[in-house]
Structures are given as C-alpha cells and as structure tokens.
Amino acid sequence: MTELTHLTIEDALKGLKNKDFSAKELAEAHIEAMEGARDLNAFIVETPEIALKQAEESDKRYASGDEGLLDGIPFANKDLFCTEGTQTTAASKILEGFVPQYTSTVGQNLADAGAVMLGKANLDQFAMGSSNTTSAFGNVINPWKTSDGKDLVPGGSSGGSAAAVAARISMGATATDTGGSIRQPASFCGISGIKPTYGRCSRWGVVAFSSSLDHPGPLARTVKDNALMLQAMAGYDPKDSTSANKPVPDYAAAMTGDMKGMKIGIPKEYRLDGMPEEIGKLWDQGAQWLKEAGAEIVDISLPHTKYALPAYYIIAPAEASSNLARYDGVKYGHRSKDAETLADMYAKTRAEGFGDEVQRRIMIGAYVLSAGYYDAYYIKAQKIRRLILNDFEKAYETVDAILTPTAPSAAFPIGENEDDPIKMYLNDVFTVTANLAGVPGMSVPAGLDANGLPLGLQILGKAWDEETVFKVGGVIEEAAQFNAMPQKVMSKAA
Ligand code: GLN
C-alpha cells in the first residue's frame, strides 16, 4: 500500500471510509513526518496533541457513519489564521505569545468538516513577502533542492503551508493570497492552490494584511484535493461584511474534463521580456493541451496589466499601514520593556516588534495616504484597479478562462533578491492582477525547468466561477502528468 503520507485527500477519504486505516493512524503518520522534517522549518508551532484528539473524534464519527467532508484529513494551518487556545503570530515578534480566544471561520469550517490540525505553518511576516525569508521565526526551506543540493525558498507568503504539503507532511493546508501567496508558493513547491473569488472564504479571524485584497484559500497536491478543501472552507459568514451570501457549488463535480465549446484566453501582456524561455514554452504547451482537449484558444489583451504591480504596491501597503496600527503594545502581543512614556512605548514596541519588510510597507503605506500624496498615489492606484477589473470583464465577454504562467521564475536560492525589494516584488507580476480584480485564480504544477524545479501554470476565471477554474485546472493536471517529487521526500522514502 502507498505510504499513508503520500495519499491524496481523495484516496485517504476512501481508505478511511473502507476502514483500511484509522484517522488516528493517519494522524500519527503525518505527525511522524512533521517531526522528521523539522529542518524545513515549515511550522511555527506543532500541535500533535490537538491532531490526535481530533483524529480520535474522527474515528468515532466513522464508526457511527456520520463523518464530515474532510473527516480525519491532516492539514497545516497557516499561522495567520487565529486558533482558539493556540498561539497565532503571523510570523511576527509583535504577536509572539498571542493566544486568540476564537478560531477563524475558515478554520472552524475545516474543523466542522472533520479535518485534523497538525500545527501552525510558518509564513512571511504578516504575509508580506514572496520567499518566506521575512518570518521572525526563521525562513522555510523548500523540499525541492537544486541539483547540487542548494536550499531554495518555498515562495511566499504561504511558504510553510506549501512546503508541508509538498514534503508530504500534511495533505492540505490553509493559505491566504493577497498578491499571489497561494499561487506562487504552489508553483515553487510543485503543488496546486486556488485563490477563490473575493468574498468566497470568510476573512474573519484571519490576521489582516490588506483587507480588500486578502483571500483565504487552500493548498493541496491535486486539483481535486483543492476542490474538496475549498468546499469545506468556503461559505457565507455574517461576521465578515465582505463575505458573499452565495451557495457553494460542488467543485469536485465540476471537474468533468469536458473542454468542448470552451474558449481560453492567452493575454499577450503576460509575455514578458526577459522571462525564461522555458516558462514561455510551458505556457504554449499548456494552451496546446487545452486545445487537444477540445477548447478554443483565443489571443486576448489585458491592456492595463503593466500598471498592476505598481498599483498593488501602493494599495496593499496603504491598507497594511492602517491594519497594523492596532499593534501598539497595549492590547496584545509584544510590549517594549524599556519605554518611559506612552509615545515612547508605542514607538519602541513597533520598532522592536515589526521586521524590516513590515516596517517598509508601513512607511510606504503611510506616505501614499498622507495628505499631500493621497491623490497622486492612492487615488490613482484605485483608478488603475478599476481599469484592471474592466480589462478582465471585457476579456470574459469572449473567453471562459485565461491561461498564464504563475510566476516569472522557478524557486530561487535563499538569500537571492534580498537586498533588492523591487526585484522581489517582480515575483508577483502575474498574480496580483487577480487580487486587484477579485477574480479566482489557480496554480497547477505543469512541468520542470532545466534544473529539475517545478513550474506552475495559472488559470484565471470569472468572478464566482471557480467551477470553470477547477475544470480547466483538472485538464492541465491530467495532461501534464506531473509526478516528480521533491528531494526531501525521496530521500525519506529511500
Ligand atoms: N508577495 C506579495 C507581497 O509581498 C503577496 C503576498 C501575499 O499574497 N500575501 O505583498
């Protein structure tokens, strides 16, 4: 039998129903994998005692035949999702020791579906970053290595979640995507992930970075597993004023493989100068696969694409500077010990508690919102955001979905791009557009680069039409037959 940690969620659910193994055995196998892979630094806190307790309860439900959608499935919970009774840090020093009194809606939905929490996954501090190197708890290491064994970043910000899933430590994970943080780490780690439509998954109980751009969503190894995860996570939540009161469709059922009559757009603006040739080739190959499956490939234009990255890096820091104002050492988290006055305490607490990248974002945000620059930067960026949404709406009058690469590179070595924030921000060039427009986007592993590292393709859909995204993603997955495994897992199996 396949090792328990190598099963897909879909197969594990079958095995649990058949009583081939128990939820407790499944949890134990994953706890062992988690403990054996600590060098990846994928978790800030491990919660094996919670996992075992939840697994035992799951076994009882299987015994009485009233199991939930994800009963017994071990998952990693990004440490941005509040967990009642378990520390939640957003990978920051300022929240170190913060133990929430409530659980995020998405986390609660997963618990209600029977999922088993292995621990709190590492991330870029406050989800700001593309490499997981901004965590106050040390960077995460990608289970994929270069051929000469060099350590690579897992992507970010959901790097701990993605590394845990790729290394077969967890079957799925929660993640958030503000500018690409589900899709880019999925691409870097050779797994799948979907950022649903804005409003599909509740943001309640998720530490806020940029509230109008933050999207909770899942990571898992297969497209079908993502469908099952999203199904459990999504749904209306009156506690989030931007949550949509819409029924959640059966995502797995949408994966029919039938591309007849479907039109897929290829946006010319995503063919960047200087992008590695192999990424362009993989993109062409992806279009070819969809064509062979019966879809019509249509060249389209999303003319304002080149303004997306600058608009994102104004709007996201602006909202972050406002959201992060609450961390002042008074209500929760870190408080500076050597402050004499209140103002001094605020300043010292924030200087000590926030990492460099977070401070950079707060400063950019405060600047673009300041009286003299508000119109020139913030308002202009909001206007660009509208134009980007218009581009998508126009394109979707002709096509059902859009295909692009997920990221302009494969995973890069730890330390690269560190001294040049703009170069780091360029990583998000293909992903931020969907956040600005609120439309769904998924990354599916589609091939390897010349160095043997995974590359993903991105499928973008219409608002509320995740079903088409899953359908197209399933076809790409089937055609790509991506079954390469990261070295970290292979050496364990050997
Ligand atoms: N890399 C982007 C940033 O640094 C996106 C992060 C995210 O989606 N959370 O802002």
Side-chain angles (χ1 to χ4, degrees):
M1 195 177 74
T2 316
E3 257 182 82
L4 291 181
T5 51
H6 286 228
L7 293 173
T8 60
I9 293 177
E10 194 185 358
D11 287 340
L13 288 170
K14 282 188 201 141
L16 286 163
K17 278 197 184 87
N18 275 340
K19 311 264 190 298
D20 295 339
F21 45 84
S22 67
K24 185 154 179 263
E25 285 167 324
L26 194 61
E28 281 166 350
H30 284 86
I31 290 168
E32 195 187 316
M34 175 166 71
E35 289 170 350
R38 286 199 178 124
D39 53 333
L40 297 180
N41 200 26
F43 289 85
I44 292 175
V45 171
E46 296 176 0
T47 57
E49 61 302 328
I50 294 178
L52 289 172
K53 189 166 165 280
Q54 289 180 327
E56 276 168 22
E57 284 161 11
S58 172
D59 280 327
K60 284 187 206 146
R61 287 189 293 270
Y62 276 106
S64 59
D66 59 356
E67 65 272 8
L69 182 63
L70 289 179
D71 229 307
I73 298 301
F75 77 101
N77 202 0
K78 185 177 183 177
D79 200 24
L80 203 63
F81 290 74
C82 286
T83 38
E84 183 184 354
T86 301
Q87 176 185 260
T88 301
T89 65
S92 72
K93 205 169 164 237
I94 208 154
L95 277 178
E96 193 167 10
F98 168 56
V99 178
Q101 290 160 315
Y102 46 83
T103 292
S104 68
T105 298
V106 160
Q108 192 57 50
N109 288 348
L110 284 170
D112 293 346
V116 164
M117 185 175 81
L118 290 168
K120 302 299 295 286
N122 204 346
L123 65 148
D124 275 302
Q125 193 166 147
F126 283 103
M128 297 173 189
S130 311
S131 60
N132 239 279
T133 45
T134 72
S135 167
F137 298 87
N139 57 274
V140 176
I141 294 172
N142 193 326
W144 293 81
K145 313 273 171 210
T146 58
S147 48
D148 55 356
K150 226 189 247 142
D151 283 340
L152 302 167
V153 303
S157 63
S158 313
S161 298
V165 172
R168 275 70 179 163
I169 297 171
S170 71
M171 299 192 134
T174 61
T176 58
D177 190 313
T178 302
S181 279
I182 290 176
R183 293 159 288 158
Q184 184 252 22
S187 179
F188 279 20
C189 292
I191 61 170
S192 297
I194 179 165
K195 179 197 84 66
T197 309
Y198 185 77
R200 184 65 95 184
C201 282
S202 168
R203 290 180 296 106
W204 192 81
V206 183
V207 175
F209 162 12
S210 174
S211 305
S212 77
L213 296 163
D214 294 344
H215 298 65
L219 284 163
R221 289 191 288 271
T222 67
V223 175
K224 178 72 82 54
D225 285 0
N226 270 283
L228 297 170
M229 287 283 294
L230 182 60
Q231 189 86 37
M233 292 162 75
Y236 175 57
D237 178 12
K239 289 189 282 200
D240 171 0
S241 62
T242 58
S243 169
N245 194 351
K246 282 181 183 284
V248 178
D250 184 342
Y251 295 125
M255 293 176 58
T256 58
D258 184 8
M259 291 284 106
K260 300 253 155 37
M262 288 199 53
K263 290 190 175 149
I264 307 292
I266 305 292
K268 63 170 191 260
E269 291 79 7
Y270 282 58
R271 211 166 283 275
L272 295 183
D273 285 342
M275 183 168 78
E277 207 181 309
E278 51 197 346
I279 292 183
K281 280 207 180 123
L282 187 70
W283 188 14
D284 296 340
Q285 173 69 71
Q288 187 60 29
W289 285 330
L290 295 176
K291 197 168 164 190
E292 283 161 15
E296 186 187 333
I297 304 300
V298 185
D299 288 325
I300 59 164
S301 173
L302 298 168
H304 297 92
T305 300
K306 66 169 183 276
Y307 304 112
L309 207 53
Y312 171 84
Y313 276 99
I314 288 172
I315 295 169
E319 293 186 12
S321 76
S322 165
N323 272 326
L324 272 57
R326 72 189 67 159
Y327 305 109
D328 56 7
V330 175
K331 292 185 210 71
Y332 35 38
H334 174 74
R335 176 182 298 170
S336 177
K337 291 204 174 38
D338 47 28
E340 281 168 16
T341 63
L342 183 65
D344 197 31
M345 192 272 283
Y346 288 158
K348 284 199 171 127
T349 296
R350 288 168 69 80
E352 290 166 12
F354 289 134
D356 290 350
E357 182 60 28
V358 176
Q359 294 194 21
R360 179 182 294 126
R361 306 269 180 130
I362 293 173
M363 285 190 276
I364 295 171
Y367 181 81
V368 300
L369 289 174
S370 62
Y373 297 99
Y374 184 80
D375 288 342
Y377 291 106
Y378 184 70
I379 294 293
K380 201 178 225 170
Q382 292 288 19
K383 288 182 179 166
I384 289 170
R385 183 174 191 174
R386 179 71 225 184
L387 294 173
I388 285 164
L389 175 60
N390 290 351
D391 282 358
F392 277 109
E393 284 180 346
K394 184 145 185 290
Y396 289 137
E397 283 170 14
T398 332
V399 298
D400 301 289
I402 294 170
L403 185 75
T404 78
T406 304
S409 75
F412 45 84
I414 290 170
E416 205 169 289
N417 300 335
E418 284 304 312
D419 47 2
D420 185 349
I422 305 280
K423 235 174 124 197
M424 191 67 95
Y425 297 168
L426 282 173
N427 253 284
D428 309 320
V429 63
F430 298 142
T431 47
V432 292
T433 49
N435 298 76
L436 290 165
V439 297
M442 169 176 243
S443 180
V444 177
L448 297 172
D449 75 355
N451 300 314
L453 297 176
L455 294 171
L457 287 176
Q458 172 175 244
I459 301 114
L460 300 172
K462 297 178 188 169
W464 309 112
D465 188 16
E466 288 87 1
E467 287 163 285
T468 296
V469 175
F470 277 114
K471 192 198 272 192
V472 177
V475 171
I476 296 273
E477 179 180 55
E478 179 67 24
Q481 285 296 315
F482 183 92
N483 45 28
M485 288 239 257
Q487 288 78 347
K488 174 68 191 174
V489 172
M490 290 179 75
S491 60
K492 186 174 176 273

